[in-house]
Amino acid sequence: MKNFVEELRWRGMLAQIMPGTEELLQKEMVTAYLGTDPTADSLHIGHLCGIMMLRHLQRCGHKPIILVGGATGMIGDPSGKSQERNLLNDETLRHNQECIKAQVAKFLDFESKEANAAEMVNNYDWMKDFTFLDFAREVGKHITVNYMMAKESVQQRLNGTARDGLSFTEFTYQLLQGYDFLYLYQHKGVKLQLGGNDQWGNMTTGTELIRRTLGNDVETFALTCPLITKSDGKKFGKTESGNIWLDPKRTTPYRFYQFWLNVSDDDAERYIKIFTSLEKETIDALIEEHRQDPGRRVLQKRLAEEVTIMVHSREALDMAIEASNILFGKATKEALEKLDEQTFLDVFDGVEKYEISRDQLGQPAIELFTTVAPVFPSKGEMRKMVQGGGVSLNKEKLADQNRAVTADDLIDGKYLLAQKGKKNYYLITVK
């Protein structure tokens, strides 16, 4: 059986670890949990490091539990956040939980007949009937305000620039998270909490609450992964268009694949260890091959392939690669028509765009592409390029500049793709 801590260590996925954690993991099958926020019906790639920790944990013979923070997700966490979260109703919460479980099931085995089958729990189930008086008596009396105030996450909010300060609700967040650990220890035998390094303060409050509630001889542990950043220090997973989601309806597999394909060389070396399950020997060989000829982008390609297959599917990867080739390789009108609309728009996101009305169709191409949608500055230039075979409509060579462009040419019933030369694309939307 692999050593879980050693696995995290060589992958660069270990930030802080409580003394005795590694010894416990080598001595017995350990049940460990990691919490995630259910405020959306999809995870994004910022969640992936934690999910990969659970994946490695299960592969090393231990039992992973993923906790959906239905209760805590309703109030907010001071760890690096400046806003409290929105209140979710029960129906939304359950919907989000089911969506998240479907995504996580691609990483963890919930169906295993072995003792270490993965489980999902929701802290709303044990918090919803827990009265404030019960909470004050059973939890609040064990942890002092002095202890809570000393936490770095609380200090940052109190001393920070946020005008709102820190609400009582957020201040008590660490007690709520601590109670989750106590509850799971008592009902599921959980001895280890995993999380991002910004959660260390909340996690150690949990181990302290268990010790003070159940006695000094009860030992529980915490282990964190580093917060993943890009080599330039910026936040990982954010792009100009927002988060990179795991749900294909929010982020198409093409855009998802492109994100990984375009990471820097330094980031690719780190990310391939963190976000894939490839063995050390394979990764070391890939890194060496990449360093010999960085221009081939061997690391980025393998990273993009592995993560896209894991999150989506082999078919989604093939489609993403095919979509990528449309811009940079030879493609046909059939290849364009196979793309769903959002992927089509993602592929041509950065190109120059025009809008025309439907009643402007039927004109000769030379009229349409010089006066209606001025892809060409003059008819003379367009004629010359058509004669030289340098103009395409929907990836098909335009042989006759006078041929009419009609509704039959539209892709998805509303788009025309004009191309001059090899690299200059123009997207025309027909309203």
Side-chain angles (χ1 to χ4, degrees):
M1 197 64 74
K2 278 186 182 176
N3 179 325
F4 173 60
V5 174
E6 194 48 51
E7 186 76 7
L8 295 187
R9 194 174 277 129
W10 78 258
R11 289 182 181 274
M13 295 173 72
L14 187 63
Q16 297 188 76
I17 179 169
M18 284 180 64
T21 306
E22 192 164 2
E23 292 77 2
L24 175 77
L25 286 156
Q26 288 176 281
K27 188 175 70 179
E28 61 187 71
M29 186 193 84
V30 175
T31 303
Y33 90 96
L34 176 136
T36 192
D37 170 20
T39 49
D41 61 2
S42 174
L43 300 175
H44 54 74
I45 59 174
H47 296 106
L48 268 187
C49 186
I51 302 300
M52 291 302 292
M53 286 172 84
L54 290 178
R55 181 179 174 88
H56 292 307
L57 180 91
Q58 189 172 35
R59 289 182 159 205
C60 291
H62 304 289
K63 182 179 177 69
I65 292 181
I66 183 157
L67 178 144
V68 173
T72 41
M74 286 179 167
I75 60 165
D77 168 8
S79 307
K81 312 284 196 312
S82 59
Q83 297 287 316
E84 291 197 27
R85 297 170 189 173
N86 296 325
L87 193 70
L88 299 174
N89 62 39
D90 196 45
E91 187 183 346
T92 305
L93 204 57
R94 296 298 170 191
H95 167 74
N96 291 357
Q97 179 180 329
E98 287 310 306
C99 292
I100 289 168
K101 183 171 182 180
Q103 290 179 344
V104 176
K106 295 180 178 180
F107 297 82
L108 305 178
D109 186 355
F110 288 92
E111 307 301 324
S112 172
K113 299 289 184 275
E114 303 296 322
N116 71 331
E119 282 187 51
M120 177 176 270
V121 295
N122 189 331
N123 62 8
Y124 183 68
D125 294 335
W126 58 83
M127 292 303 298
K128 66 179 186 291
D129 299 321
F130 202 12
T131 68
F132 182 78
L133 289 176
D134 288 338
F135 186 77
R137 187 176 62 237
E138 293 180 31
V139 180
K141 72 175 185 181
H142 291 293
I143 301 290
T144 66
V145 170
N146 310 51
Y147 179 87
M148 294 168 70
M149 290 284 288
K151 295 293 182 182
E152 187 182 355
S153 57
V154 173
Q155 288 296 318
Q156 283 174 347
R157 279 296 294 276
L158 288 174
N159 302 326
T161 54
R163 267 177 265 161
D164 314 349
L166 180 67
S167 72
F168 171 77
T169 314
E170 288 184 291
F171 181 56
T172 54
Y173 185 93
Q174 59 179 289
L175 291 184
L176 291 167
Q177 188 168 327
Y179 181 71
D180 287 340
F181 201 170
L182 172 62
Y183 182 92
L184 290 172
Y185 174 83
Q186 291 175 312
H187 293 83
K188 298 280 186 184
V190 172
K191 292 184 181 179
L192 173 63
Q193 185 179 173
L194 307 175
N197 208 30
D198 60 336
Q199 293 294 315
W200 182 254
N202 294 337
M203 291 161 73
T204 52
T205 297
T207 61
E208 186 66 10
L209 178 64
I210 292 168
R211 188 183 69 78
R212 293 188 186 188
T213 304
L214 303 178
N216 290 336
D217 56 335
V218 175
E219 286 192 298
T220 49
F221 302 88
L223 181 159
T224 62
C225 63
L227 296 180
I228 310 302
T229 57
K230 295 193 281 191
S231 51
D232 60 9
K234 290 180 182 169
K235 195 169 183 180
F236 163 76
K238 289 272 188 183
T239 65
E240 286 176 19
S241 55
N243 282 320
I244 303 293
W245 298 91
L246 306 195
D247 183 343
K249 293 192 289 293
R250 286 173 176 253
T251 300
T252 61
Y254 164 78
R255 193 181 282 277
F256 185 87
Y257 173 78
Q258 285 291 324
F259 171 83
W260 298 100
L261 197 62
N262 289 310
V263 301
S264 70
D265 290 349
D266 288 345
D267 286 339
E269 282 197 22
R270 288 190 303 129
Y271 295 169
I272 201 161
K273 295 173 187 172
I274 296 169
F275 299 111
T276 78
S277 297
L278 295 172
E279 297 296 338
K280 189 173 188 304
E281 297 72 26
T282 305
I283 290 175
D284 287 345
L286 283 166
I287 289 172
E288 185 54 38
E289 186 183 351
H290 181 86
R291 286 177 179 173
Q292 298 296 326
D293 185 3
R296 288 176 53 223
R297 298 180 75 75
V298 169
L299 266 185
Q300 284 91 338
K301 286 176 183 172
R302 186 64 182 273
L303 169 67
E305 286 172 12
E306 292 287 330
V307 186
T308 304
I309 289 171
M310 194 160 48
V311 169
H312 296 295
S313 65
R314 168 70 66 179
E315 292 72 32
L317 170 68
D318 292 342
M319 189 276 294
I321 291 172
E322 193 172 337
S324 302
N325 290 337
I326 286 171
L327 269 182
F328 307 110
K330 291 182 178 176
T332 60
K333 186 180 180 186
E334 287 71 41
L336 291 180
E337 289 172 333
K338 273 202 303 192
L339 302 179
D340 63 86
E341 184 178 6
Q342 190 53 57
T343 302
F344 177 82
L345 292 174
D346 282 351
V347 170
F348 298 103
D349 183 32
V351 309
E352 199 169 327
K353 296 177 175 63
Y354 297 99
E355 279 190 10
I356 67 172
S357 60
R358 197 161 285 269
D359 60 11
Q360 290 172 303
L361 291 172
Q363 298 185 52
I366 196 159
E367 289 294 333
L368 195 71
F369 296 134
T370 56
T371 56
V372 183
V375 170
F376 292 89
S378 69
K379 291 179 180 177
E381 184 182 320
M382 181 169 169
R383 278 194 199 95
K384 196 186 298 182
M385 282 202 79
V386 169
Q387 285 162 6
V391 180
S392 295
L393 174 62
N394 300 334
K395 282 290 181 178
E396 293 177 339
K397 283 269 185 280
L398 189 66
D400 177 8
Q401 72 237 11
N402 293 311
R403 97 143 169 95
V405 179
T406 69
D408 291 340
D409 292 307
L410 297 178
I411 292 180
D412 257 340
K414 56 179 160 180
Y415 301 109
L416 296 168
L417 183 70
Q419 184 180 356
K420 60 179 184 183
K422 285 186 177 176
K423 295 181 179 176
N424 298 310
Y425 290 94
Y426 302 84
L427 184 62
I428 296 133
T429 304
V430 181
K431 294 286 190 184

